[in-house]
PDB file of all heavy atoms in Angstrom:
ATOM      1  N   PRO A   8     107.792 107.876  99.894  1.00 37.00           N
ATOM      2  CA  PRO A   8     108.499 108.733 100.804  1.00 37.00           C
ATOM      3  C   PRO A   8     109.400 109.570  99.972  1.00 37.00           C
ATOM      4  O   PRO A   8     110.057 110.476 100.552  1.00 37.00           O
ATOM      5  CB  PRO A   8     109.225 107.787 101.748  1.00 37.00           C
ATOM      6  CG  PRO A   8     109.371 106.580 101.085  1.00 37.00           C
ATOM      7  CD  PRO A   8     108.171 106.465 100.205  1.00 37.00           C
ATOM      8  N   LEU A   9     109.671 109.270  98.666  1.00 39.00           N
ATOM      9  CA  LEU A   9     110.581 110.101  97.854  1.00 39.00           C
ATOM     10  C   LEU A   9     110.010 111.470  97.715  1.00 39.00           C
ATOM     11  O   LEU A   9     110.906 112.359  97.258  1.00 39.00           O
ATOM     12  CB  LEU A   9     110.798 109.338  96.522  1.00 39.00           C
ATOM     13  CG  LEU A   9     111.375 108.011  96.543  1.00 39.00           C
ATOM     14  CD1 LEU A   9     111.596 107.485  95.156  1.00 39.00           C
ATOM     15  CD2 LEU A   9     112.662 108.020  97.294  1.00 39.00           C
ATOM     16  N   LYS A  10     108.841 111.673  97.865  1.00 40.00           N
ATOM     17  CA  LYS A  10     108.134 112.990  97.618  1.00 40.00           C
ATOM     18  C   LYS A  10     108.139 113.783  98.868  1.00 40.00           C
ATOM     19  O   LYS A  10     107.408 114.781  98.945  1.00 40.00           O
ATOM     20  CB  LYS A  10     106.785 112.887  96.925  1.00 40.00           C
ATOM     21  CG  LYS A  10     106.975 112.158  95.511  1.00 40.00           C
ATOM     22  CD  LYS A  10     105.597 112.160  94.787  1.00 40.00           C
ATOM     23  CE  LYS A  10     105.909 111.498  93.506  1.00 40.00           C
ATOM     24  NZ  LYS A  10     104.775 111.644  92.616  1.00 40.00           N
ATOM     25  N   VAL A  11     108.838 113.401  99.821  1.00 37.00           N
ATOM     26  CA  VAL A  11     108.752 114.144 101.186  1.00 37.00           C
ATOM     27  C   VAL A  11     109.770 115.276 101.067  1.00 37.00           C
ATOM     28  O   VAL A  11     110.894 115.151 100.613  1.00 37.00           O
ATOM     29  CB  VAL A  11     109.257 113.231 102.361  1.00 37.00           C
ATOM     30  CG1 VAL A  11     109.342 113.901 103.639  1.00 37.00           C
ATOM     31  CG2 VAL A  11     108.220 112.093 102.480  1.00 37.00           C
ATOM     32  N   GLU A  12     109.301 116.438 101.569  1.00 38.00           N
ATOM     33  CA  GLU A  12     110.128 117.607 101.413  1.00 38.00           C
ATOM     34  C   GLU A  12     110.740 117.970 102.776  1.00 38.00           C
ATOM     35  O   GLU A  12     110.219 117.621 103.877  1.00 38.00           O
ATOM     36  CB  GLU A  12     109.496 118.782 100.829  1.00 38.00           C
ATOM     37  CG  GLU A  12     108.305 119.243 101.655  1.00 38.00           C
ATOM     38  CD  GLU A  12     107.570 120.334 101.027  1.00 38.00           C
ATOM     39  OE1 GLU A  12     106.762 120.029 100.154  1.00 38.00           O
ATOM     40  OE2 GLU A  12     107.822 121.508 101.298  1.00 38.00           O
ATOM     41  N   GLY A  13     111.941 118.659 102.740  1.00 37.00           N
ATOM     42  CA  GLY A  13     112.595 119.155 103.926  1.00 37.00           C
ATOM     43  C   GLY A  13     113.223 118.212 104.703  1.00 37.00           C
ATOM     44  O   GLY A  13     113.226 116.947 104.406  1.00 37.00           O
ATOM     45  N   ALA A  14     113.889 118.609 105.774  1.00 33.00           N
ATOM     46  CA  ALA A  14     114.683 117.658 106.595  1.00 33.00           C
ATOM     47  C   ALA A  14     114.121 117.467 107.997  1.00 33.00           C
ATOM     48  O   ALA A  14     114.508 116.805 108.780  1.00 33.00           O
ATOM     49  CB  ALA A  14     116.180 118.193 106.736  1.00 33.00           C
ATOM     50  N   HIS A  15     113.131 118.309 108.333  1.00 39.00           N
ATOM     51  CA  HIS A  15     112.431 118.255 109.655  1.00 39.00           C
ATOM     52  C   HIS A  15     111.600 116.966 109.762  1.00 39.00           C
ATOM     53  O   HIS A  15     110.711 116.814 108.979  1.00 39.00           O
ATOM     54  CB  HIS A  15     111.707 119.522 109.885  1.00 39.00           C
ATOM     55  CG  HIS A  15     111.199 119.721 111.249  1.00 39.00           C
ATOM     56  ND1 HIS A  15     109.994 119.271 111.726  1.00 39.00           N
ATOM     57  CD2 HIS A  15     111.777 120.276 112.340  1.00 39.00           C
ATOM     58  CE1 HIS A  15     109.782 119.541 113.025  1.00 39.00           C
ATOM     59  NE2 HIS A  15     110.953 120.172 113.406  1.00 39.00           N
ATOM     60  N   THR A  16     111.930 116.174 110.675  1.00 40.00           N
ATOM     61  CA  THR A  16     111.286 114.852 110.801  1.00 40.00           C
ATOM     62  C   THR A  16     109.760 114.930 110.888  1.00 40.00           C
ATOM     63  O   THR A  16     109.084 114.235 110.264  1.00 40.00           O
ATOM     64  CB  THR A  16     111.905 114.052 112.112  1.00 40.00           C
ATOM     65  OG1 THR A  16     113.270 114.052 111.909  1.00 40.00           O
ATOM     66  CG2 THR A  16     111.272 112.694 112.149  1.00 40.00           C
ATOM     67  N   SER A  17     109.188 115.803 111.850  1.00 48.00           N
ATOM     68  CA  SER A  17     107.792 115.757 111.994  1.00 48.00           C
ATOM     69  C   SER A  17     107.061 116.276 110.703  1.00 48.00           C
ATOM     70  O   SER A  17     106.133 115.858 110.342  1.00 48.00           O
ATOM     71  CB  SER A  17     107.389 116.671 113.159  1.00 48.00           C
ATOM     72  OG  SER A  17     107.720 118.031 113.002  1.00 48.00           O
ATOM     73  N   HIS A  18     107.708 117.180 109.894  1.00 52.00           N
ATOM     74  CA  HIS A  18     107.173 117.646 108.585  1.00 52.00           C
ATOM     75  C   HIS A  18     107.211 116.366 107.678  1.00 52.00           C
ATOM     76  O   HIS A  18     106.222 116.252 107.004  1.00 52.00           O
ATOM     77  CB  HIS A  18     108.132 118.701 108.159  1.00 52.00           C
ATOM     78  CG  HIS A  18     107.484 119.427 106.945  1.00 52.00           C
ATOM     79  ND1 HIS A  18     108.316 120.313 106.158  1.00 52.00           N
ATOM     80  CD2 HIS A  18     106.236 119.421 106.302  1.00 52.00           C
ATOM     81  CE1 HIS A  18     107.564 120.812 105.132  1.00 52.00           C
ATOM     82  NE2 HIS A  18     106.277 120.208 105.209  1.00 52.00           N
ATOM     83  N   GLN A  19     108.264 115.715 107.670  1.00 53.00           N
ATOM     84  CA  GLN A  19     108.363 114.485 106.781  1.00 53.00           C
ATOM     85  C   GLN A  19     107.247 113.478 107.155  1.00 53.00           C
ATOM     86  O   GLN A  19     106.481 112.929 106.267  1.00 53.00           O
ATOM     87  CB  GLN A  19     109.646 113.792 106.928  1.00 53.00           C
ATOM     88  CG  GLN A  19     110.788 114.504 106.276  1.00 53.00           C
ATOM     89  CD  GLN A  19     112.129 113.862 106.532  1.00 53.00           C
ATOM     90  OE1 GLN A  19     112.265 113.058 107.146  1.00 53.00           O
ATOM     91  NE2 GLN A  19     113.120 114.202 105.622  1.00 53.00           N
ATOM     92  N   GLN A  20     107.128 113.276 108.423  1.00 53.00           N
ATOM     93  CA  GLN A  20     106.091 112.335 108.898  1.00 53.00           C
ATOM     94  C   GLN A  20     104.744 112.794 108.633  1.00 53.00           C
ATOM     95  O   GLN A  20     103.911 111.900 108.192  1.00 53.00           O
ATOM     96  CB  GLN A  20     106.233 112.022 110.427  1.00 53.00           C
ATOM     97  CG  GLN A  20     107.475 111.319 110.760  1.00 53.00           C
ATOM     98  CD  GLN A  20     107.715 111.273 112.342  1.00 53.00           C
ATOM     99  OE1 GLN A  20     107.227 112.190 113.066  1.00 53.00           O
ATOM    100  NE2 GLN A  20     108.452 110.302 112.747  1.00 53.00           N
TER     101      GLN A  20
END
Side-chain angles (χ1 to χ4, degrees):
L9 301 179
K10 296 185 180 186
V11 173
E12 61 184 82
H15 191 267
T16 304
S17 63
H18 190 192
Q19 289 179 342
Q20 289 170 338

